[in-house]
Each structure stands twice: as structure tokens, then as C-alpha cells.
Amino acid sequence: MSFVIKKNLLSEGKTKKIYTTNNSLEVLIHYKDSITALDGSKNQFLQDKGILNNEISTLIFKFINSCGIKTHFIRKINNREQLCYKVDIIPLEFVVRNIVAGSMSKRLNIQEGIRLLNPIFEIFYKNDKLKDPLINDHHAVFLGIISYEEINAIYRIVSNVNNILKKYFLDKNIILVDFKIEFGKNDQNDILLSDEISPDTCRFWDKKTMKKLDKDPFRIGLKEKEEVLDIYMEILKRLNVR
Ligand code: UDP
């Protein structure tokens, strides 16, 4: 295993910082102690949340890698940091819905909790000024973000990831309600599943009680951020049970 030297801050988002390393093809991703909701309008410090999300995302990416899906994840370096392949993030968020919740429930006035016979895929354009609007394939191609071939390849990966993650979580008594994933391109133009997968980016419900095991209660102000930390710890505990 080669030695990793953390170099310069490449970019900083709401919950992560990205650093260059001594290898130009690799970056260090640092998970911050912040919790956000409502497109970042709610953004608070939460001690040790970065440690939990780094560990949870590491376990999930390790599992996805083991299924043969190409991701940016290489290995966890320490409590807060992971080594990943450097990618240019494609500015699209791919959301998969297995059960109606969140923005779909509001937008279409459909009761939360309705199971979808076929998963619904949505694309959001990552653009702060426009507040990440919902778009479709044709908009994404028109905007010059991606080609039809690439978007079709991504849809196949998205479907694959949903199938394997649904089963992975169900084995841990967790229902995967919906989630968001992002993709990036490496220097060879390969498409890699990137960013993070954690209770920040997924809705999880307990299989038996249907209790929410994600940050939804924080989003709507039902729970204090500290209580959310307990929920994230519960997710980590379940992921560690084989
Ligand atoms: N999501 C995310 N980042 C975003 C927006 C949504 O990770 O900027 C995730 C969210 O956690 C949920 C799924 O994508 O698991 C669908 O979110 P939705 O469109 O319902 O929006 P929300 O109401 O959660 O903002």
C-alpha cells in the first residue's frame, strides 16, 4: 500500500473537503462535522458526524466495489478521511425512489409511504443558482452535460446499485426508501460512482417499526441534531452486523 501525503485543498462543500495528494490520480476526501438540510439553508455543526458518515459511506462503497461496480472509493485512511480516485463530478444528482417520500410526495401530492411497483429515477441538475432543478435526460444532453450513451450507461448502473443496495439494507432490517447518487469521470473518461452514500443521502426506514433512520426528523425540525447522531450510530451498528 503506497504512502499518502495530503497536499492542497481542492474544493470544499457543505459536508466534505477534498484535498490533492502526492498522486495526481487520487484525492483525499475529508468528512466534516456538519449537518445540512433544505438545500443547505439549515447547516449546523454536529460533533463527530463526519466520523460516522466516513465510516458508513466506506462500508457501503466497499460493498458496492465488491459487487464489481466501478466507484471512486479506494480505502479509508483515518477516522475522517478516505482515499478516492480523482474524478470530475458530472453535475447531475440521480435519485432513485422505491417508496414515495420527500419532494416527490410534495410535488405530486402523493401520500408518503406508497410503494412504487417500479423504481422511479429522477435527475436533478446540480446548480446552486437554479436551486438544483428536476430535469430529464433530454435537458441534460441539451445542456451539454452528458451524452445519451453515457446517460443510458449511468441508468444501468443506477438500477444495479438500487437492486444490490435494497437487498444489502433489507438484510439489516432497513428499508431503502430513496437515495441520491452522483457520478464522476476519471482521466480515462470512465464513469465512476462517486461522492458519498450515507443517511445524509438516503432515506432509511426500520423494517419492523417503519421508524425513520435518516435525517428526515431533523429536516422538519422534529428532532434535535444530537438525536440524529444516535440514528446514524444505529445505522452504523446495523451495517457492522454480518
Ligand atoms: N438528496 C440528497 N441531496 C440533495 C437532495 C436529495 O442526498 O441535495 C437525497 C435525499 O436524502 C433523499 C433523496 O435524495 O434520500 C430524495 O430527496 P428528495 O428529492 O425527496 O428531496 P428532499 O425532500 O430530501 O430534499
Side-chain angles (χ1 to χ4, degrees), residues 63 162-172 174:
F63 172 71
N162 185 38
N163 289 334
I164 63 164
L165 286 188
K166 263 196 304 193
K167 181 165 184 327
Y168 172 75
F169 286 111
L170 210 54
D171 284 347
K172 291 145 194 327
I174 298 167

Side-chain angles (χ1 to χ4, degrees), residues 93 95 97 101-103 124 178-180 200-203 219:
E93 295 184 337
V95 166
R97 301 182 185 275
S103 70
F124 293 85
D178 59 32
F179 62 97
K180 181 268 301 179
D200 272 11
T201 64
C202 305
R203 280 195 174 85
R219 274 193 185 99

Side-chain angles (χ1 to χ4, degrees), residues 14-149:
K14 294 175 198 112
T15 57
K16 293 187 289 292
K17 288 183 196 175
I18 302 181
Y19 293 90
T20 58
T21 67
N22 49 318
N23 182 336
S24 64
L25 300 179
E26 297 172 359
V27 290
L28 262 191
I29 301 189
H30 175 107
Y31 282 70
K32 303 198 290 187
D33 279 345
S34 51
I35 183 160
T36 66
L38 311 173
D39 281 336
S41 61
K42 217 170 165 180
N43 187 346
Q44 296 174 15
F45 173 78
L46 181 54
Q47 183 76 45
D48 293 344
K49 190 211 149 220
I51 296 176
L52 286 169
N53 264 13
N54 184 28
E55 180 60 13
I56 293 171
S57 198
T58 289
L59 290 171
I60 298 172
F61 269 89
K62 270 187 181 172
F63 172 71
I64 295 175
N65 277 346
S66 78
C67 294
I69 294 169
K70 284 188 189 172
T71 80
H72 73 155
F73 179 83
I74 302 173
R75 65 188 151 93
K76 187 177 161 188
I77 295 283
N78 59 42
N79 263 354
R80 291 182 182 280
E81 289 169 330
Q82 46 183 252
L83 187 66
C84 293
Y85 293 114
K86 185 175 189 299
V87 293
D88 286 327
I89 288 285
I90 298 167
L92 300 174
E93 295 184 337
F94 289 85
V95 166
V96 180
R97 301 182 185 275
N98 296 307
I99 294 181
V100 175
S103 70
M104 178 176 167
S105 163
K106 286 194 205 93
R107 190 172 49 248
L108 301 178
N109 192 22
I110 302 174
Q111 199 189 336
E112 192 169 280
I114 292 178
R115 277 169 202 271
L116 297 160
L117 228 51
N118 297 306
I120 289 183
F121 297 167
E122 293 175 348
I123 304 175
F124 293 85
Y125 176 30
K126 274 166 70 94
N127 183 313
D128 284 341
K129 268 195 206 142
L130 299 177
K131 298 197 175 147
D132 298 354
L134 175 69
I135 60 168
N136 68 24
D137 319 21
H138 307 289
H139 296 115
V141 173
F142 166 74
L143 288 168
I145 296 170
I146 203 162
S147 68
Y148 281 111
E149 289 73 24

